[in-house]
Each structure stands twice: as C-alpha cells, then as structure tokens.
Amino acid sequence: RNFKSASSRSILRVRKGSVVKLAQQAASHAQSKGYRVVERKIDRDDADLKFRKDSRELNISIEDKDNGWIEIDEDLDVNN
C-alpha cells in the first residue's frame, strides 16, 4: 500500500498543571525526537506549537479550560 497522507489525532485532559510548563515539556520532547520548531506561541492559558520532521507535521494545542482541566490536542500529519 502507498498512502498519500495519514493523520493521527489525540486529545488528552489533565487535572492540574501549568500551560507554559506543559508546552515547554512538549517542545523539548518533540525536539529530542528530531522535530524542529516551526511555530511557537505560548501564553499563560493557551499554547500552540507546530513542528516538522521530514514529511511529518506535528501540531500541539494546549488550553486551560477554566474548569480545573487542561486540554492537550495533538495532531500528526504524514505526507508521503
């Protein structure tokens, strides 16, 4: 099989934490896996990160939902 593109998405919710700290940890982990930062916007209650590695594009969004939960949305696109 030869796929033109593939996508994987996951949404996680964590009870407590710092959006800034989670974004820094996510960026550090992605870079340790060979991804390079393409876009980085980090605020106290919202973060958007975009990385690339070869034909892969990884997008991570972290948002404080104001109800005690932080939502982490990860989307990986692979283009062949």
Side-chain angles (χ1 to χ4, degrees):
R1 284 180 161 167
N2 225 353
F3 292 103
K4 294 279 184 202
S5 68
S7 181
S8 172
R9 183 172 185 199
S10 61
I11 297 176
L12 306 170
R13 289 184 179 90
V14 295
R15 188 61 133 141
K16 292 184 178 181
S18 160
V19 169
V20 173
K21 189 171 185 174
L22 287 169
Q24 290 169 340
Q25 290 173 341
S28 179
H29 182 73
Q31 289 174 306
S32 76
K33 299 298 180 186
Y35 286 87
R36 62 181 169 78
V37 177
V38 175
E39 186 178 309
R40 180 188 303 209
K41 181 185 148 267
I42 301 174
D43 295 321
R44 189 176 67 78
D45 58 355
D46 183 81
D48 292 303
L49 307 165
K50 184 183 283 189
F51 305 92
R52 284 211 180 98
K53 178 182 176 181
D54 302 323
S55 63
R56 297 180 192 116
E57 185 173 286
L58 174 62
N59 295 295
I60 299 174
S61 175
I62 303 171
E63 183 178 355
D64 188 338
K65 293 302 221 179
D66 290 330
N67 58 3
W69 290 95
I70 294 175
E71 186 173 279
I72 304 166
D73 184 356
E74 175 188 308
D75 185 30
L76 176 65
D77 290 320
V78 180
N79 297 307
N80 291 330

